[in-house]
Amino acid sequence: MRDLIRLLPTLKKHLAKTYVVWKRLRVCAHPRLYSAQFSASELEELGGEFDVDRAVSHYLAHGVHEGKRLCALFNPDWYLEQLDRAGIKITKDMAPFIHWLAVGWDEWIVPTPLFHEGFYEERYPGPAKAYPWSFVHYVKKGCYEANRLASPNGRHHPGGSDPQASELQAPLLLREMLYRADDYDLSRTSWAEEGARAARAKYDTLGTARMTELVAKAAEIEPLVLQPHWDYPVAGTPPYRGRRLFLDRQAEELRRAVGRVHVDTVVLVPGGTADAVAATLDSLLARAGSDSLLVVGTDTGGTAEESRAPEKAYLDLLPFLEGMERGFRLDLLLDLVRGVTAERIVVVGSELGWGLLATYGRQLSARASLVAYVPSAEGDPEQTGPGPAVREFQQCFAHLDWALVETEALAKELTDRYALPRALAGRLVPPGEHAVERAFHVPSSHQHG
Amino acid sequence: MAEDTRQPDITAILTAHVEGTMIGVSFRSMLAAVDVATEAGLDVEMLVVLDKPDEATREMLEEVDTHGARLLEVSYGDQALVRNHAVREARGRFIALLDGDDLWTENWLVAAHTLCAAEPRTIAHPYADWVFGESNSLSLPPDQTDPQFNPATLRVTNAWDALCMAPREAYLDHPFQARDLAQGYAFEDWLWNLDTVRAGYVHRVVRDTIHFKRSRSGSQFRHATANRSTTRPTPYHDYAWLQEWERARKGEPGTGSSSPLR
């Protein structure tokens, strides 16, 4: 705290509340952003990625003098612009962030283009009222909550929750702030902040005299155009903002990571240890060969070795799915299987894979042969009935060319359960020495390609 | 009387279905924009196309000819096919589409025409899609010439509404694809955007213009979204095509001469 006292404005009233400023500083420290302003070698010398304590200490001892940024929700240039508007002076030797903590905070000056006070209070009147200043709610809670929109220009993150975000003080919008990090001086700004500025500028254009006149004329014809439900409607402003924009970046990174433009067969496995799927995967590998096959771990992450897949034929999808809501995860997987123009998509224990078949099975079955492995409940005391994947089977079977069922008994049970006609029952391939071989010879029920 | 063979600058097309009284609002919006365009010296053909209309909508449009519009009635039950039909009937150099529950700002035809006429193979979009009615939002579409615009975005999300202005041949060469919700195919405007971008058209935004889109619970877009529909298959989703395209953009050797986005 001694470091902080030296940095504070010298007026008594500021010095008197050193402890308050200290608490604010701690709450606003975002170590991931701070770490991102160091090279890998610098970080290694400093003992690795910062946590909150180390980031705060290092910032007060060094970072503040080097112009580094500790808080993702503090943009120095934006703050200085707002100060100027408010007619508040700041001396040149004063660190803007420290000034904000001591002075600007009390004046309720929002120091980032990523937060819009009016919008936030309109959308979340309850939480916002719980704090004297709604921005404090966002700093302490909202920025870690996946369902919070901070401004009319989008939520600035891909929608997935992160249960550790609050504990680690890693606001969800950091993903977007660190996008194209090499292109920005992170101590001052980021992709997200520049995008928000551009979006605000576009949005503000709607308020020009010319636009106002044109809207008024349209309203003479249809008054309903002037009846918004919200004062601050959500505005999608591609390329900077849009609900699905984060997805395009992930899709491009995924495409580059795959490194191939075509594979015959995509096998979707849960990832991690592969005991439950090993036999099926072995058969598929033997049948298809690793050159024409891509094994994708979708649910739990892991390595090729754990999944017993050849290194060159394995892809861990988890890093690309991080922080994304389920709908986006499905869409990313869809982009992958369409991208490699897979002729065969085989789901072996992958929860996301089943989701893909259930959601996009109609469209995919027109271009590819869809296949799934259906495990049995036998030997699993926690399972009863026809097996753990029966719900998924029910949703997807219409799109499948064949299903590899774990046991003969399960094949019979499914046949009886759904009163499958003989032709459809023939698509349930029970295990056996050449089950996969036999299954590949089941006539397709769909027109592919 | 001899038929006027001079090609109009623009054909403004209003499509209608079962909008009832609401269609009158859109027709008035079209008339206002046509008036402004005419004052600016543009020759505008007006086409109103009824697709499987209900009686109320048909009645509403009975007298459009007195305002100089031509009325057609078709029976497709599919917005894409209606638009294709209308474009074939149109004579204008540029086509501007308007749905039967939407509005333009009155300057739309003039401003969009200025852009399209100045730059060949340009498709003009309004500065804002202003959604009103049952929901309220704004979409400020991107300009393809914006350095930050990433064409890969179009793989995962649509960037532009179909209600734009484009050269007539853009619609003739790249007709809208019919919907097939049973098979999960919709978003014909998204697919059209992909096709036209691939063909080298440039989607631009026209400043100071707005397209007012009425949001209704029974809209086809909402049906398609709830149905988890996708676009029909397109090379735009194919890694092989994307790789070729990427190389072409970078000017790398080994790229096919037919790469459309060079």
Coordinates of all heavy atoms in Angstrom, one line a residue, chain A residues 180 191 202-203 205 211 214-215 217-218 221-222 225 228-229 233-240 244-245 248 251-252 255-256 260-261 331 335-336 338-339 360 362-363, chain B residues 25 103 106-107 127 130 133-134 136-142 146 148 152-153 155-156 181-185 207-208 210 212 214 227-230 237-240 243 246:
Chain A
R180 N -6.2 -10.7 -31.7 CA -5.3 -9.9 -32.5 C -4.4 -9.1 -31.6 O -4.1 -7.9 -31.9 CB -6.0 -9.1 -33.5 CG -6.7 -9.8 -34.6 CD -7.1 -8.9 -35.7 NE -7.9 -9.5 -36.7 CZ -8.5 -8.9 -37.7 NH1 -8.4 -7.6 -37.9 NH2 -9.2 -9.6 -38.6
W191 N -8.4 -4.9 -29.6 CA -9.4 -5.1 -30.7 C -10.8 -4.7 -30.2 O -11.6 -4.1 -30.8 CB -9.4 -6.5 -31.1 CG -10.6 -7.0 -31.8 CD1 -11.7 -7.7 -31.2 CD2 -10.9 -6.9 -33.2 NE1 -12.6 -8.0 -32.2 CE2 -12.2 -7.5 -33.4 CE3 -10.3 -6.4 -34.3 CZ2 -12.8 -7.6 -34.6 CZ3 -10.9 -6.5 -35.6 CH2 -12.2 -7.1 -35.7
K202 N -20.6 4.5 -35.4 CA -21.6 4.2 -36.4 C -23.0 4.4 -35.8 O -23.9 4.9 -36.4 CB -21.5 2.7 -36.8 CG -20.3 2.4 -37.7 CD -20.3 1.0 -38.2 CE -21.1 0.9 -39.4 NZ -21.0 -0.4 -40.1
Y203 N -23.1 4.0 -34.6 CA -24.4 4.1 -33.9 C -24.8 5.6 -33.8 O -26.0 6.0 -34.0 CB -24.3 3.4 -32.5 CG -25.6 3.4 -31.7 CD1 -26.6 2.5 -32.0 CD2 -25.8 4.3 -30.7 CE1 -27.8 2.5 -31.3 CE2 -27.0 4.3 -29.9 CZ -27.9 3.3 -30.2 OH -29.1 3.3 -29.5
T205 N -24.1 8.0 -35.6 CA -24.5 8.6 -36.9 C -26.0 8.6 -37.1 O -26.5 9.4 -37.8 CB -23.8 7.8 -38.1 OG1 -22.4 7.8 -37.8 CG2 -24.1 8.4 -39.4
M211 N -30.3 12.0 -40.6 CA -30.9 10.7 -40.3 C -32.2 11.0 -39.5 O -33.2 10.3 -39.7 CB -30.0 9.9 -39.5 CG -28.9 9.3 -40.3 SD -29.4 8.1 -41.6 CE -28.4 6.7 -41.2
L214 N -34.9 11.9 -41.8 CA -35.4 10.8 -42.6 C -36.3 9.8 -41.8 O -37.3 9.3 -42.3 CB -34.2 10.0 -43.2 CG -33.4 10.8 -44.3 CD1 -32.1 10.1 -44.6 CD2 -34.3 10.7 -45.6
V215 N -35.9 9.6 -40.6 CA -36.7 8.7 -39.7 C -38.0 9.4 -39.5 O -39.1 8.7 -39.5 CB -35.9 8.4 -38.4 CG1 -36.8 7.7 -37.4 CG2 -34.7 7.6 -38.6
K217 N -39.7 11.3 -41.4 CA -40.5 11.2 -42.6 C -41.0 9.8 -42.7 O -42.2 9.6 -43.1 CB -39.7 11.5 -43.8 CG -39.5 13.1 -43.9 CD -38.9 13.4 -45.3 CE -38.9 14.9 -45.4 NZ -38.3 15.4 -46.7
A218 N -40.2 8.8 -42.4 CA -40.7 7.4 -42.4 C -41.8 7.2 -41.4 O -42.8 6.5 -41.6 CB -39.6 6.4 -42.2
I221 N -45.3 7.9 -42.3 CA -46.0 6.7 -42.9 C -46.3 5.6 -42.0 O -47.4 5.0 -42.0 CB -45.1 6.2 -44.1 CG1 -44.8 7.3 -45.1 CG2 -45.7 5.0 -44.7 CD1 -43.8 6.9 -46.2
E222 N -45.3 5.3 -41.1 CA -45.5 4.2 -40.1 C -45.0 4.7 -38.8 O -43.8 4.6 -38.5 CB -44.7 3.0 -40.6 CG -44.8 1.8 -39.6 CD -46.2 1.4 -39.1 OE1 -46.7 2.2 -38.3 OE2 -46.7 0.4 -39.6
V225 N -42.4 2.9 -36.2 CA -40.9 2.9 -36.2 C -40.3 3.7 -35.1 O -39.1 3.5 -34.7 CB -40.3 3.4 -37.6 CG1 -40.8 2.5 -38.7 CG2 -40.5 4.8 -37.8
P228 N -39.7 2.3 -29.9 CA -38.8 1.2 -29.5 C -39.2 0.6 -28.1 O -39.7 1.3 -27.3 CB -37.4 2.0 -29.4 CG -37.8 3.4 -29.1 CD -39.2 3.6 -29.7
H229 N -38.9 -0.6 -27.9 CA -39.1 -1.2 -26.6 C -38.0 -0.8 -25.6 O -38.1 -0.8 -24.4 CB -39.1 -2.7 -26.7 CG -40.2 -3.2 -27.6 ND1 -40.2 -4.4 -28.3 CD2 -41.4 -2.7 -27.8 CE1 -41.3 -4.6 -28.9 NE2 -42.1 -3.5 -28.7
P233 N -31.4 0.1 -28.2 CA -31.5 -1.2 -28.8 C -30.2 -1.8 -29.1 O -29.2 -1.1 -29.3 CB -32.2 -0.9 -30.1 CG -32.0 0.5 -30.4 CD -31.8 1.2 -29.1
V234 N -30.1 -3.1 -29.0 CA -28.9 -3.8 -29.3 C -28.5 -3.6 -30.8 O -29.4 -3.7 -31.6 CB -29.0 -5.3 -29.0 CG1 -27.8 -6.1 -29.5 CG2 -29.2 -5.6 -27.5
A235 N -27.3 -3.2 -31.0 CA -26.9 -2.9 -32.4 C -25.7 -3.8 -32.8 O -24.7 -3.9 -32.2 CB -26.4 -1.5 -32.5
G236 N -26.0 -4.6 -33.8 CA -24.9 -5.5 -34.4 C -24.2 -4.6 -35.4 O -24.8 -4.0 -36.2
T237 N -22.9 -4.5 -35.2 CA -22.1 -3.7 -36.1 C -20.9 -4.5 -36.6 O -19.8 -4.2 -36.2 CB -21.6 -2.4 -35.4 OG1 -21.0 -2.8 -34.2 CG2 -22.7 -1.5 -35.2
P238 N -21.1 -5.5 -37.5 CA -20.0 -6.1 -38.1 C -19.1 -5.1 -38.8 O -19.7 -4.2 -39.4 CB -20.6 -7.1 -39.0 CG -22.1 -7.2 -38.7 CD -22.4 -5.9 -38.0
P239 N -17.8 -5.3 -39.0 CA -17.1 -6.4 -38.5 C -16.7 -6.4 -37.1 O -16.0 -7.3 -36.6 CB -15.8 -6.4 -39.4 CG -15.6 -4.9 -39.6 CD -17.0 -4.3 -39.7
Y240 N -17.1 -5.3 -36.4 CA -16.6 -5.2 -35.0 C -17.5 -5.9 -34.0 O -17.0 -6.5 -33.0 CB -16.6 -3.7 -34.6 CG -15.9 -2.9 -35.7 CD1 -16.6 -2.2 -36.6 CD2 -14.5 -2.9 -35.8 CE1 -16.0 -1.4 -37.6 CE2 -13.9 -2.2 -36.7 CZ -14.6 -1.4 -37.6 OH -14.0 -0.7 -38.6
R244 N -22.4 -13.5 -33.5 CA -21.7 -14.7 -33.9 C -20.3 -14.4 -34.4 O -19.6 -15.3 -35.0 CB -22.5 -15.4 -35.0 CG -23.8 -16.0 -34.5 CD -24.7 -16.4 -35.7 NE -24.1 -17.4 -36.5 CZ -24.4 -18.7 -36.2 NH1 -25.1 -19.1 -35.3 NH2 -23.8 -19.6 -37.0
L245 N -19.8 -13.2 -34.2 CA -18.6 -12.8 -34.9 C -17.4 -13.5 -34.3 O -16.5 -13.8 -35.0 CB -18.4 -11.3 -34.8 CG -19.3 -10.5 -35.7 CD1 -18.9 -9.0 -35.7 CD2 -19.2 -11.0 -37.1
D248 N -16.4 -16.7 -36.2 CA -15.7 -16.8 -37.4 C -14.2 -16.9 -37.2 O -13.5 -17.6 -37.9 CB -16.0 -15.6 -38.3 CG -15.5 -14.3 -37.8 OD1 -15.0 -14.3 -36.6 OD2 -15.5 -13.3 -38.5
A251 N -13.5 -20.4 -36.2 CA -13.6 -21.3 -37.4 C -12.4 -21.2 -38.3 O -11.9 -22.2 -38.8 CB -14.9 -20.9 -38.2
E252 N -11.8 -20.0 -38.4 CA -10.6 -19.8 -39.2 C -9.4 -20.5 -38.5 O -8.6 -21.1 -39.1 CB -10.3 -18.3 -39.4 CG -11.1 -17.8 -40.6 CD -10.7 -18.5 -41.9 OE1 -9.7 -18.1 -42.5 OE2 -11.4 -19.4 -42.3
R255 N -9.7 -24.2 -38.9 CA -9.4 -24.6 -40.3 C -7.9 -24.7 -40.5 O -7.3 -25.6 -41.0 CB -9.9 -23.6 -41.3 CG -9.6 -23.9 -42.7 CD -10.4 -23.0 -43.7 NE -9.9 -21.6 -43.7 CZ -9.0 -21.2 -44.6 NH1 -8.4 -22.0 -45.4 NH2 -8.6 -19.9 -44.6
R256 N -7.2 -23.7 -39.9 CA -5.7 -23.7 -40.0 C -5.1 -24.9 -39.2 O -4.1 -25.5 -39.6 CB -5.1 -22.4 -39.6 CG -5.5 -21.3 -40.6 CD -4.7 -20.0 -40.4 NE -5.1 -19.1 -41.5 CZ -6.0 -18.2 -41.4 NH1 -6.7 -18.0 -40.3 NH2 -6.3 -17.4 -42.4
R260 N -5.7 -29.8 -43.3 CA -6.1 -30.6 -44.5 C -7.3 -30.0 -45.0 O -8.2 -29.4 -44.3 CB -6.3 -32.0 -44.1 CG -5.0 -32.8 -43.7 CD -5.3 -34.3 -43.6 NE -5.7 -34.6 -42.2 CZ -6.0 -35.9 -41.9 NH1 -6.1 -36.8 -42.8 NH2 -6.3 -36.2 -40.6
V261 N -7.5 -30.1 -46.3 CA -8.7 -29.6 -46.9 C -9.8 -30.6 -47.1 O -10.9 -30.3 -47.4 CB -8.4 -28.8 -48.3 CG1 -7.5 -27.7 -48.0 CG2 -7.8 -29.8 -49.3
D331 N -22.2 -25.2 -34.1 CA -21.9 -24.5 -35.4 C -20.5 -24.6 -35.8 O -20.1 -24.7 -37.0 CB -22.4 -23.1 -35.3 CG -23.9 -22.9 -35.4 OD1 -24.6 -24.0 -35.5 OD2 -24.4 -21.8 -35.2
D335 N -19.1 -26.4 -39.1 CA -18.2 -25.8 -40.0 C -17.0 -26.7 -40.4 O -16.6 -26.8 -41.5 CB -17.7 -24.5 -39.5 CG -16.9 -23.6 -40.5 OD1 -17.6 -23.1 -41.4 OD2 -15.7 -23.6 -40.4
L336 N -16.6 -27.4 -39.3 CA -15.4 -28.3 -39.6 C -15.8 -29.5 -40.5 O -15.1 -29.8 -41.5 CB -15.0 -28.9 -38.2 CG -14.0 -30.1 -38.3 CD1 -12.6 -29.6 -38.9 CD2 -13.7 -30.7 -36.9
R338 N -18.2 -29.8 -42.6 CA -18.5 -29.3 -43.9 C -17.3 -28.9 -44.6 O -17.1 -29.1 -45.8 CB -19.5 -28.1 -43.9 CG -20.9 -28.5 -43.6 CD -21.9 -27.4 -43.9 NE -21.6 -26.1 -43.2 CZ -22.4 -25.1 -43.1 NH1 -23.7 -25.2 -43.5 NH2 -22.1 -24.0 -42.5
G339 N -16.4 -28.3 -43.8 CA -15.1 -27.7 -44.4 C -14.3 -28.8 -45.0 O -13.7 -28.6 -46.1
Y360 N -28.2 -31.0 -37.0 CA -28.0 -30.7 -38.4 C -28.0 -32.0 -39.2 O -27.4 -32.1 -40.3 CB -26.7 -30.0 -38.6 CG -26.7 -28.6 -38.0 CD1 -25.8 -28.2 -37.0 CD2 -27.6 -27.6 -38.5 CE1 -25.8 -26.9 -36.4 CE2 -27.6 -26.4 -37.9 CZ -26.7 -26.0 -36.9 OH -26.8 -24.7 -36.4
R362 N -30.3 -33.6 -40.8 CA -31.0 -33.5 -42.0 C -30.1 -33.0 -43.1 O -29.9 -33.6 -44.2 CB -32.2 -32.6 -41.9 CG -33.4 -33.0 -41.2 CD -34.3 -31.9 -41.0 NE -33.7 -30.8 -40.3 CZ -34.2 -29.6 -40.2 NH1 -35.4 -29.3 -40.7 NH2 -33.6 -28.6 -39.5
Q363 N -29.4 -31.9 -42.8 CA -28.6 -31.3 -43.9 C -27.3 -32.1 -44.1 O -26.9 -32.3 -45.3 CB -28.2 -29.9 -43.4 CG -29.3 -28.9 -43.3 CD -29.8 -28.8 -41.9 OE1 -29.8 -29.7 -41.1 NE2 -30.2 -27.6 -41.5
Chain B
V25 N -48.8 0.5 -46.1 CA -47.7 1.3 -45.5 C -46.4 1.1 -46.4 O -45.8 2.1 -46.7 CB -47.5 0.9 -44.1 CG1 -46.2 1.4 -43.5 CG2 -48.6 1.2 -43.2
L103 N -40.2 -0.8 -44.8 CA -40.1 0.6 -45.4 C -38.7 1.0 -45.7 O -37.8 0.4 -45.1 CB -40.7 1.6 -44.4 CG -42.1 1.6 -43.9 CD1 -42.2 0.8 -42.6 CD2 -42.6 3.0 -43.6
E106 N -36.9 7.7 -47.6 CA -37.3 8.1 -48.9 C -36.1 8.4 -49.8 O -36.3 8.4 -51.0 CB -38.1 9.4 -48.8 CG -37.3 10.6 -48.2 CD -38.1 11.9 -48.2 OE1 -39.3 11.9 -48.2 OE2 -37.4 13.0 -48.2
N107 N -34.9 8.5 -49.3 CA -33.7 8.7 -50.2 C -33.1 7.5 -50.7 O -32.1 7.5 -51.3 CB -32.7 9.6 -49.4 CG -32.1 8.8 -48.2 OD1 -32.8 7.9 -47.7 ND2 -31.0 9.2 -47.7
Y127 N -27.5 1.8 -44.6 CA -26.6 2.0 -43.5 C -27.1 1.2 -42.2 O -26.3 0.7 -41.5 CB -26.5 3.5 -43.1 CG -25.6 3.8 -42.0 CD1 -24.2 3.9 -42.3 CD2 -26.0 4.0 -40.7 CE1 -23.3 4.3 -41.3 CE2 -25.1 4.4 -39.7 CZ -23.7 4.5 -40.0 OH -22.8 4.8 -39.0
W130 N -33.3 -1.3 -39.4 CA -33.9 -0.8 -38.2 C -35.1 -1.7 -37.9 O -36.1 -1.6 -38.6 CB -34.3 0.6 -38.4 CG -35.1 1.4 -37.4 CD1 -36.3 1.0 -36.8 CD2 -34.7 2.6 -36.8 NE1 -36.7 2.0 -35.9 CE2 -35.7 3.0 -35.9 CE3 -33.6 3.5 -37.0 CZ2 -35.7 4.2 -35.2 CZ3 -33.6 4.7 -36.3 CH2 -34.7 5.0 -35.4
G133 N -41.5 -3.1 -34.4 CA -42.6 -4.0 -34.2 C -42.5 -4.9 -33.0 O -42.4 -4.3 -31.9
E134 N -42.4 -6.2 -33.1 CA -42.4 -7.0 -31.9 C -41.1 -7.1 -31.3 O -40.9 -7.6 -30.2 CB -42.9 -8.4 -32.3 CG -44.4 -8.4 -32.7 CD -44.9 -9.8 -33.0 OE1 -44.2 -10.8 -32.8 OE2 -46.1 -9.9 -33.4
N136 N -37.0 -5.0 -31.2 CA -36.4 -3.7 -31.5 C -34.9 -3.9 -31.5 O -34.3 -4.1 -30.4 CB -36.9 -2.7 -30.4 CG -36.2 -1.4 -30.5 OD1 -35.6 -1.0 -29.5 ND2 -36.2 -0.8 -31.7
S137 N -34.3 -3.7 -32.6 CA -32.8 -3.8 -32.6 C -32.3 -3.1 -33.9 O -33.1 -2.7 -34.7 CB -32.4 -5.3 -32.7 OG -32.8 -5.9 -33.9
L138 N -31.0 -3.0 -33.9 CA -30.4 -2.3 -35.1 C -29.3 -3.2 -35.6 O -28.5 -3.7 -34.8 CB -29.8 -1.0 -34.6 CG -30.7 0.2 -34.4 CD1 -30.0 1.3 -33.6 CD2 -31.2 0.7 -35.8
S139 N -29.3 -3.3 -36.9 CA -28.1 -4.0 -37.5 C -27.5 -2.9 -38.4 O -28.1 -2.3 -39.2 CB -28.5 -5.2 -38.3 OG -27.4 -5.7 -38.9
L140 N -26.2 -2.7 -38.2 CA -25.5 -1.8 -39.0 C -24.5 -2.6 -39.9 O -23.4 -2.9 -39.4 CB -24.7 -0.8 -38.1 CG -25.6 -0.1 -37.0 CD1 -24.7 0.7 -36.1 CD2 -26.6 0.8 -37.7
P141 N -25.0 -2.9 -41.0 CA -24.2 -3.9 -41.8 C -22.8 -3.4 -42.2 O -22.6 -2.2 -42.3 CB -25.1 -4.1 -43.1 CG -26.3 -3.4 -42.8 CD -26.1 -2.4 -41.7
P142 N -21.9 -4.4 -42.4 CA -20.6 -4.0 -42.7 C -20.4 -3.6 -44.2 O -21.2 -4.0 -45.0 CB -19.8 -5.3 -42.5 CG -20.7 -6.4 -42.8 CD -22.1 -5.8 -42.3
D146 N -14.4 -2.2 -46.0 CA -13.8 -1.9 -44.7 C -12.6 -2.8 -44.4 O -12.7 -4.1 -44.5 CB -14.8 -2.1 -43.6 CG -14.4 -1.7 -42.2 OD1 -13.2 -1.8 -41.9 OD2 -15.2 -1.3 -41.4
Q148 N -11.3 -3.9 -41.9 CA -11.5 -4.9 -40.9 C -12.5 -6.0 -41.3 O -12.7 -6.9 -40.5 CB -12.1 -4.2 -39.6 CG -11.1 -3.2 -39.0 CD -10.0 -3.9 -38.3 OE1 -9.9 -5.1 -38.3 NE2 -9.1 -3.1 -37.6
A152 N -14.4 -14.3 -44.1 CA -14.7 -15.6 -43.4 C -15.9 -15.5 -42.5 O -16.5 -16.5 -42.2 CB -13.4 -16.0 -42.6
T153 N -16.2 -14.3 -42.1 CA -17.4 -14.1 -41.2 C -18.6 -14.7 -41.9 O -19.5 -15.2 -41.2 CB -17.6 -12.6 -41.0 OG1 -16.4 -12.1 -40.3 CG2 -18.8 -12.4 -40.1
R155 N -19.1 -17.3 -43.4 CA -19.2 -18.7 -43.3 C -20.2 -19.0 -42.1 O -20.9 -20.0 -42.1 CB -17.9 -19.4 -43.0 CG -17.2 -19.7 -44.2 CD -15.7 -20.0 -43.9 NE -15.5 -21.0 -43.0 CZ -14.3 -21.2 -42.4 NH1 -13.3 -20.4 -42.6 NH2 -14.1 -22.2 -41.5
V156 N -20.1 -18.2 -41.1 CA -20.9 -18.5 -39.9 C -22.0 -17.6 -39.6 O -22.8 -17.9 -38.7 CB -19.9 -18.5 -38.7 CG1 -18.9 -19.7 -38.8 CG2 -19.2 -17.2 -38.5
L181 N -37.6 -26.1 -45.8 CA -37.5 -26.2 -44.3 C -37.5 -27.6 -43.9 O -36.9 -28.0 -42.9 CB -38.6 -25.4 -43.7 CG -38.5 -23.8 -43.7 CD1 -39.7 -23.2 -43.0 CD2 -37.2 -23.4 -43.1
A182 N -38.2 -28.5 -44.6 CA -38.2 -29.9 -44.2 C -36.8 -30.5 -44.3 O -36.5 -31.3 -43.4 CB -39.2 -30.7 -45.2
Q183 N -36.0 -30.0 -45.2 CA -34.7 -30.5 -45.3 C -33.7 -29.7 -44.5 O -32.5 -29.9 -44.5 CB -34.2 -30.6 -46.8 CG -34.9 -31.7 -47.6 CD -34.8 -33.1 -46.9 OE1 -33.7 -33.5 -46.6 NE2 -35.9 -33.8 -46.7
G184 N -34.2 -28.6 -43.9 CA -33.3 -27.7 -43.1 C -32.6 -26.6 -43.9 O -31.6 -26.1 -43.4
Y185 N -33.1 -26.3 -45.1 CA -32.5 -25.3 -45.9 C -33.3 -24.0 -45.9 O -34.5 -24.0 -46.3 CB -32.2 -25.7 -47.3 CG -31.2 -26.9 -47.3 CD1 -31.6 -28.1 -48.1 CD2 -30.0 -26.9 -46.7 CE1 -30.7 -29.1 -48.1 CE2 -29.1 -27.9 -46.7 CZ -29.5 -29.1 -47.4 OH -28.6 -30.1 -47.5
R207 N -24.5 5.5 -47.0 CA -24.7 6.4 -45.8 C -26.1 7.0 -45.8 O -26.7 7.2 -46.9 CB -23.6 7.5 -45.8 CG -22.3 7.0 -45.2 CD -21.3 8.2 -45.0 NE -21.7 9.0 -43.9 CZ -21.4 8.8 -42.7 NH1 -20.5 7.8 -42.4 NH2 -21.8 9.5 -41.7
D208 N -26.5 7.4 -44.6 CA -27.8 8.1 -44.5 C -29.0 7.4 -45.1 O -29.9 8.1 -45.7 CB -27.6 9.5 -45.1 CG -26.6 10.4 -44.3 OD1 -26.4 10.1 -43.2 OD2 -26.1 11.4 -44.9
I210 N -31.8 4.0 -44.4 CA -32.3 3.0 -43.4 C -33.3 2.2 -44.1 O -34.1 2.6 -44.9 CB -32.9 3.7 -42.2 CG1 -31.9 4.6 -41.4 CG2 -33.5 2.7 -41.2 CD1 -32.5 5.4 -40.3
F212 N -36.3 -0.1 -42.7 CA -37.1 -0.4 -41.5 C -37.8 -1.8 -41.7 O -38.6 -2.0 -42.6 CB -38.2 0.7 -41.3 CG -37.7 2.1 -41.1 CD1 -37.6 2.9 -42.2 CD2 -37.2 2.5 -39.9 CE1 -37.1 4.2 -42.1 CE2 -36.7 3.8 -39.7 CZ -36.6 4.6 -40.8
R214 N -40.0 -4.8 -40.3 CA -41.0 -5.1 -39.2 C -40.8 -6.5 -38.7 O -40.7 -7.5 -39.5 CB -42.4 -5.0 -39.9 CG -43.6 -5.0 -38.8 CD -44.9 -5.0 -39.6 NE -45.0 -3.9 -40.5 CZ -45.6 -2.7 -40.2 NH1 -46.0 -2.4 -39.0 NH2 -45.6 -1.7 -41.2
N227 N -36.0 -23.7 -36.6 CA -35.9 -25.0 -37.2 C -34.4 -25.4 -37.4 O -34.2 -26.4 -37.9 CB -36.5 -24.8 -38.6 CG -36.7 -26.1 -39.3 OD1 -37.0 -27.1 -38.7 ND2 -36.5 -26.1 -40.6
R228 N -33.5 -24.6 -36.9 CA -32.1 -24.8 -37.0 C -31.7 -25.1 -38.5 O -31.0 -26.0 -38.8 CB -31.6 -26.0 -36.1 CG -31.7 -25.8 -34.7 CD -31.1 -24.5 -34.2 NE -29.7 -24.4 -34.4 CZ -28.7 -24.5 -33.4 NH1 -29.1 -24.6 -32.2 NH2 -27.5 -24.3 -33.7
S229 N -32.3 -24.3 -39.3 CA -32.0 -24.4 -40.7 C -30.6 -23.8 -41.0 O -30.0 -23.1 -40.2 CB -33.0 -23.6 -41.6 OG -34.2 -24.1 -41.4
T230 N -30.0 -24.2 -42.1 CA -28.8 -23.7 -42.6 C -29.0 -23.2 -44.0 O -30.0 -23.4 -44.6 CB -27.6 -24.7 -42.6 OG1 -28.0 -25.8 -43.5 CG2 -27.5 -25.3 -41.2
H237 N -18.1 -22.9 -47.8 CA -17.9 -23.7 -46.6 C -16.8 -24.7 -46.8 O -16.5 -25.4 -45.8 CB -19.2 -24.3 -46.1 CG -20.2 -23.3 -45.6 ND1 -21.4 -23.2 -46.2 CD2 -20.2 -22.4 -44.6 CE1 -22.1 -22.3 -45.6 NE2 -21.4 -21.8 -44.6
D238 N -16.3 -24.8 -47.9 CA -15.4 -25.9 -48.3 C -13.9 -25.5 -48.0 O -13.5 -24.5 -48.6 CB -15.6 -26.3 -49.7 CG -14.8 -27.4 -50.2 OD1 -13.7 -27.7 -49.6 OD2 -15.1 -28.0 -51.3
Y239 N -13.2 -26.2 -47.2 CA -11.8 -25.8 -46.8 C -11.0 -25.7 -48.1 O -10.1 -24.8 -48.2 CB -11.2 -26.8 -45.9 CG -11.5 -26.7 -44.5 CD1 -12.5 -25.8 -44.0 CD2 -10.9 -27.5 -43.5 CE1 -12.8 -25.7 -42.6 CE2 -11.2 -27.5 -42.2 CZ -12.1 -26.6 -41.7 OH -12.4 -26.5 -40.4
A240 N -11.2 -26.6 -49.1 CA -10.4 -26.5 -50.3 C -10.6 -25.2 -51.0 O -9.6 -24.6 -51.5 CB -10.8 -27.7 -51.2
Q243 N -9.0 -22.4 -49.1 CA -7.6 -22.3 -49.2 C -7.1 -21.7 -50.5 O -6.2 -20.9 -50.6 CB -7.0 -23.8 -49.1 CG -5.5 -23.8 -49.1 CD -5.0 -25.2 -49.0 OE1 -5.2 -26.0 -50.0 NE2 -4.4 -25.6 -47.9
E246 N -7.8 -18.1 -50.4 CA -6.8 -17.4 -49.5 C -5.5 -17.2 -50.3 O -4.9 -16.1 -50.3 CB -6.6 -18.2 -48.3 CG -5.9 -17.5 -47.2 CD -5.9 -18.3 -45.9 OE1 -5.4 -19.5 -45.9 OE2 -6.5 -17.9 -44.9

